[in-house]
Amino acid sequence: MKKYEKMTVGQIVADRFANARIFDKYGIDFCCNGSDTLDEACRKRNVRTADILKELESPENAASGDPAFKEWPLDLLCDYIIKFHHRNIRREGPEISALLEKVCNVHGERHAELFKVKSLFADSLQSLYEHLDKEEIVLFPYIYAMCDAREHKTQIPPFHCGSIAAPISVMMAEHEEEGVRYREIATLCNDYRTPDDGCGSYRLLMDKLRSFDAALHQHIHLENNIAFPESIELERQLFGHK
């Protein structure tokens, strides 16, 4: 059995992604605050560590068939992030924006918070599009180059700004900004619950926002807790960086 009490929450989810469902249940942030130890995270949420450990070690949780992302090759994980998560943002983002416009027009008078959600989501998409471009144009190509150099035992020049840790720190800071933004969106949407007077479009909007938030949560987790640390370690192996 893993010694989860000695691990960070990010490491616990990286070990088995099924553990994310338990943290989500208790409102524990394993993405932007993935460096918190389990005890620290439980204190923040006023949850007993023993209760979390019991669920983490339950047979039901152990039987989950979630992908073992931690065991994937780094370049394959990057492929998944780009082709699943980046495409999801670019596909779902405009659809949600259009739906927000529609629901604001119909329900905005009774639910003024929708206009704030609309503004926050628009800001998020603008930031995310720029974020994805930086990853796809600058960061991930160099990660692929490092993976190829390791595979074929060839040499590549060092990253142009000294170390890959520099752009990674920028990406993680931007992840934190999105985490704050979506916590505000979730609060404004009452954790994505449709109000009693909400129509079918309102319900669809809440479902789509919830799914978008959850996918972004996984996206950030995969980068912060798996892909980025592995990339920094790979650079250290190739160039001797500390």
Side-chain angles (χ1 to χ4, degrees):
M1 187 65 66
K2 294 281 185 178
K3 296 293 186 182
Y4 284 142
E5 66 273 15
K6 299 183 181 297
M7 298 167 66
T8 68
V9 290
Q11 290 171 337
I12 291 170
V13 176
D15 180 62
R16 295 190 69 254
F17 193 71
N19 296 335
R21 284 192 289 270
I22 295 170
F23 288 155
D24 284 338
K25 174 182 173 182
Y26 291 96
I28 292 174
D29 179 10
F30 57 86
C31 296
C32 298
N33 291 313
S35 60
D36 286 349
T37 66
L38 182 58
D39 279 340
E40 289 171 339
C42 287
R43 281 198 298 272
K44 288 180 179 179
R45 298 300 301 171
N46 195 27
V47 178
R48 286 184 358 120
T49 303
D51 292 339
I52 300 293
L53 284 170
K54 183 177 180 180
E55 293 198 37
L56 290 171
E57 297 166 358
S58 69
E60 294 82 5
N61 189 51
S64 169
D66 288 303
F69 292 114
K70 182 69 173 174
E71 298 174 10
W72 288 16
L74 177 56
D75 52 352
L76 176 60
L77 183 60
C78 290
D79 283 346
Y80 176 79
I81 290 169
I82 292 172
K83 294 177 180 177
F84 181 80
H85 286 291
H86 288 200
R87 287 179 182 178
N88 179 72
I89 289 170
R90 292 189 171 109
R91 181 184 63 251
E92 294 293 323
E95 293 183 9
I96 293 172
S97 292
L99 194 53
L100 265 165
E101 182 73 28
K102 177 181 179 180
V103 174
C104 280
N105 289 339
V106 175
H107 294 276
E109 186 174 343
R110 295 187 302 277
H111 295 281
E113 70 277 3
L114 287 170
F115 293 106
K116 179 62 174 177
V117 173
K118 177 183 170 184
S119 176
L120 286 167
F121 190 76
D123 291 343
S124 172
L125 282 190
Q126 180 177 349
S127 296
L128 283 172
Y129 290 156
E130 294 172 359
H131 180 90
L132 303 187
D133 285 344
K134 284 183 283 189
E135 289 190 339
E136 292 172 10
I137 295 170
V138 179
L139 179 58
F140 280 22
Y142 193 73
I143 294 174
Y144 285 130
M146 289 198 300
C147 290
D148 189 68
R150 176 174 58 185
E151 177 71 19
H152 296 99
K153 296 180 172 55
T154 56
Q155 293 185 342
I156 58 172
F159 193 70
H160 67 271
C161 63
S163 170
I164 201 172
I168 282 175
S169 67
V170 173
M171 296 300 100
M172 293 183 69
E174 292 177 358
H175 288 168
E176 174 63 26
E177 291 174 3
E178 291 308 312
V180 171
R181 197 174 347 244
Y182 279 89
R183 284 192 289 274
E184 184 175 0
I185 290 175
T187 298
L188 288 166
C189 293
N190 192 22
D191 286 331
Y192 305 115
R193 296 184 181 92
T194 305
D196 292 340
D197 61 345
C199 63
S201 293
Y202 204 131
R203 185 172 299 105
L204 178 61
L205 173 63
M206 293 299 102
D207 288 344
K208 280 186 169 291
L209 280 171
R210 182 187 299 108
S211 296
F212 192 92
D213 188 350
L216 187 61
H217 217 51
Q218 187 194 69
H219 178 182
I220 292 173
H221 157 68
L222 291 176
E223 292 187 345
N224 282 12
N225 299 321
I226 304 179
F228 290 169
E230 289 188 10
S231 298
I232 291 171
E233 172 58 20
L234 176 54
E235 183 186 54
R236 187 195 66 77
Q237 293 172 9
L238 293 174
F239 299 104
H241 288 180
K242 295 183 180 180

